[in-house]
Amino acid sequence: MKILVIGSGGREHALAWKLAQSPHAERIFCAPGNAGTAEIAENVAISSSDLEALVRFAKGNRVDLTVVGPDDPLAAGIVDLFTAEKLRAFGPSKSAARIEASKIFAKELMSAQKIPTAEARTFSDSREALGYCKRLKFPVVIKADGLALGKGVTIAPDAATARSTINEMMNQRRFGEAGRRIVIEEFLRGTECSLHALVDGSNYRLLESARDHKRAFDGDQGPNTGGMGACSPANNWNSKLQLQFEAEIMQPLLRGFLHEGINFRGLLYPGLIITNDGPRVLEFNCRFGDPETQALLPRMKSDLLPLLDATLNGHIQDSTIEWDQRAAVTIVLASGGYPGKYQIGKNISGLHEAAKLESVQIFHAGTNRANSEITTAGGRVLAVTALGSTRKAARARAYEAVSRIHFENCHYRRDIALGATN
Ligand code: AMP
Ligand code: GLY
């Protein structure tokens, strides 16, 4: 099969790396890819937002399966465009992608199906939202309705922050149209966990649990980022929570899709918070997580390609997924300053030395190859994953690999999966 992976992050490198191991994979393209994907696939210089050019490329090169990494092209309807041209693309349709692209849509669906989530109110008028703030107990969480590059959520500790956030989102349009409507919701306390499910329209198969570390600095301090590290399995997950999650969240969600006439085919990733009362949904994502994918796929023993195929064909219930029982820990190396302003074009050294370590896999994100040098080209630069018999062992190995890699102003968290003794 000829496969096209869309995107340029660590997630897409991990997807291309895993798909390249399939005996069914004949040729892999990555658009636009990075210096890491260039080593295992053919990079194609098309942006993930140039949907027309992607369709033309897939048609012209007789691509059998396209796997869409990021959320934006899904929300813009890339799968509908491919389907109209009789091209197979893995990911939900535009209407199904609303589960991630509109937090208000997701909240309404959860409310109709009684899926446990934070109590929330939605607003399309800033005066009403500002008035509502007067009656609240803080902290509260304020979310732009639409996609905002992972920056559309603010935890407001007091009324003054809530008012300025509402003004920025709704009046100054900091996130453009995404902030035209907002959600104000209850602040939930607990620990977070990411679940990934292959959903084929009627049935689903869960992948193993994973845990993301979203804040920029150690101790969960600093601004939210796309994700600074991950581990799998998550240390706060167990079979009892999983049963509760399937009965209270996954099954009602599939009923909700059916009720709305939505045929969701693709990867669904609920972001959960485990409270004293059980798992609550923070958000739904409609694509693989980044960096969770870089921790999950090295643990997946099964061939990913037939699983994606079965999802698209509506036969996921016939598949089983085998897992390496070892733990995976992934550390993200970022450019100093990320998620704010940062510089690019810094030489990266030590990649070969790090890759020599056993059970270590290095995924590229914002990297570029210029002649024989690999340089930084983005905020999140690399994701280093190590497997180990325990999380602690995986963690030690991952940090040993990280210590061999250098670039100017490299920033990474020292506490990914810290405290994990098993
Ligand atoms: P989201 O994009 O909705 O997952 O939000 C990004 C991050 O904000 C989450 O991973 C949480 O850390 C935090 N967050 C979102 N909603 C809530 C909430 N209701 N209570 C506490 N933290 C939240
Ligand atoms: N790890 C967070 C995300 O992919 O949205």
Side-chain angles (χ1 to χ4, degrees):
M1 272 170 90
K2 285 192 202 165
I3 302 162
L4 167 65
V5 176
I6 295 180
S8 60
R11 163 184 52 206
E12 288 76 19
H13 186 185
L15 285 165
W17 168 83
K18 181 69 184 159
L19 290 167
Q21 293 166 33
S22 172
H24 309 287
E26 195 187 306
R27 214 169 154 187
I28 302 189
F29 303 103
C30 208
N34 55 40
T37 61
E39 284 171 19
I40 51 163
E42 296 167 54
N43 281 357
V44 181
I46 305 176
S47 148
S48 61
S49 57
D50 193 348
L51 308 192
E52 310 289 336
L54 290 166
V55 170
R56 270 200 307 278
F57 178 84
K59 261 181 112 168
N61 290 278
R62 301 218 174 84
V63 169
D64 300 293
L65 176 68
T66 297
V67 182
V68 186
D71 46 10
D72 288 311
L74 292 166
I78 189 167
V79 172
D80 308 64
L81 283 180
F82 271 65
T83 309
E85 296 290 342
K86 300 201 165 38
L87 291 162
R88 297 178 84 233
F90 180 86
S93 64
K94 180 174 184 171
S95 107
R98 278 184 299 159
I99 199 71
E100 174 168 3
S102 167
K103 294 202 188 278
I104 294 179
F105 174 75
K107 278 284 175 195
E108 286 169 354
L109 197 147
M110 285 191 272
S111 157
Q113 299 302 325
K114 303 195 167 45
I115 294 175
T117 183
E119 289 291 331
R121 276 194 55 180
T122 65
F123 295 91
S124 49
D125 181 317
S126 62
R127 275 165 310 178
E128 270 180 38
L130 289 166
Y132 179 64
C133 282
K134 293 189 189 128
R135 298 188 259 135
L136 289 174
K137 272 207 299 209
F138 289 88
V140 295
V141 185
I142 304 180
K143 301 183 174 186
D145 175 46
L147 296 178
L149 298 170
K151 294 178 186 152
V153 174
T154 298
I155 295 166
D158 50 47
T161 315
R163 278 197 299 273
S164 63
T165 304
I166 293 167
N167 271 323
E168 273 182 21
M169 284 186 185
M170 300 187 87
N171 297 331
Q172 294 156 21
R173 291 290 167 92
R174 177 163 173 225
F175 305 116
E177 274 299 286
R180 191 170 59 80
R181 299 195 295 160
I182 63 164
V183 176
I184 302 184
E185 71 179 32
E186 157 198 22
F187 176 80
L188 296 173
R189 277 169 224 283
T191 56
E192 292 180 46
C193 187
S194 306
L195 270 298
H196 282 61
L198 290 165
V199 179
D200 74 358
S202 329
N203 294 295
Y204 65 89
R205 274 278 175 275
L206 288 182
L207 308 193
E208 289 271 280
S209 63
R211 192 160 176 187
D212 186 11
H213 294 67
K214 284 210 172 76
R215 300 294 196 97
F217 307 126
D218 288 5
D220 287 332
Q221 301 296 310
N224 261 345
T225 68
M228 294 298 293
C231 64
S232 173
N235 55 346
N236 57 353
W237 195 243
N238 57 45
S239 52
K240 182 169 166 259
L241 284 171
Q242 182 141 327
L243 284 176
Q244 208 177 345
F245 165 68
E246 299 208 40
E248 295 177 8
I249 296 170
M250 283 310 290
Q251 284 154 18
L253 179 69
L254 290 198
R255 281 201 294 277
F257 282 146
L258 206 64
H259 186 259
E260 295 283 329
I262 287 174
N263 184 358
F264 189 106
R265 287 185 182 201
L267 191 289
L268 185 99
Y269 140 31
L272 306 177
I273 187 160
I274 320 293
T275 69
N276 288 338
D277 303 320
R280 301 277 178 274
V281 175
L282 290 179
E283 63 168 348
F284 287 114
N285 300 296
C286 67
R287 36 79 201 171
F288 285 90
D290 187 341
E292 290 93 325
T293 304
Q294 295 92 301
L296 284 167
L297 293 184
R299 294 190 59 218
M300 185 186 275
K301 282 187 173 170
S302 308
D303 187 347
L304 178 62
L305 190 50
L307 292 171
L308 300 185
D309 239 351
T311 305
L312 286 183
N313 294 339
H315 293 143
I316 196 66
Q317 80 273 27
D318 301 334
S319 307
T320 49
I321 312 179
E322 281 188 57
W323 294 95
D324 191 324
Q325 289 311 307
R326 287 178 296 170
V329 170
T330 301
I331 319 290
V332 169
L333 277 64
S335 299
Y338 170 80
K341 284 207 181 79
Y342 54 83
Q343 293 176 337
I344 59 168
K346 311 286 184 197
N347 279 352
I348 307 174
S349 65
L351 289 169
H352 289 301
E353 288 73 12
K356 276 186 204 147
L357 285 167
E358 204 187 317
S359 302
V360 164
Q361 198 58 48
I362 298 169
F363 298 111
H364 289 226
T367 66
N368 203 358
R369 181 182 279 277
N371 302 318
S372 59
E373 296 290 347
I374 297 194
T375 57
T376 65
R380 289 191 290 176
V381 176
L382 299 162
V384 176
T385 298
L387 293 170
S389 53
T390 60
R391 273 186 215 96
K392 199 174 166 189
R395 176 173 192 277
R397 193 173 274 160
Y399 278 108
E400 163 66 24
V402 166
S403 74
R404 298 184 180 191
I405 302 174
H406 302 280
F407 57 87
E408 197 185 316
N409 289 337
C410 170
H411 162 67
Y412 59 90
R413 276 182 60 165
R414 266 65 174 177
D415 65 345
I416 303 300
L418 187 64
T421 51
N422 51 16

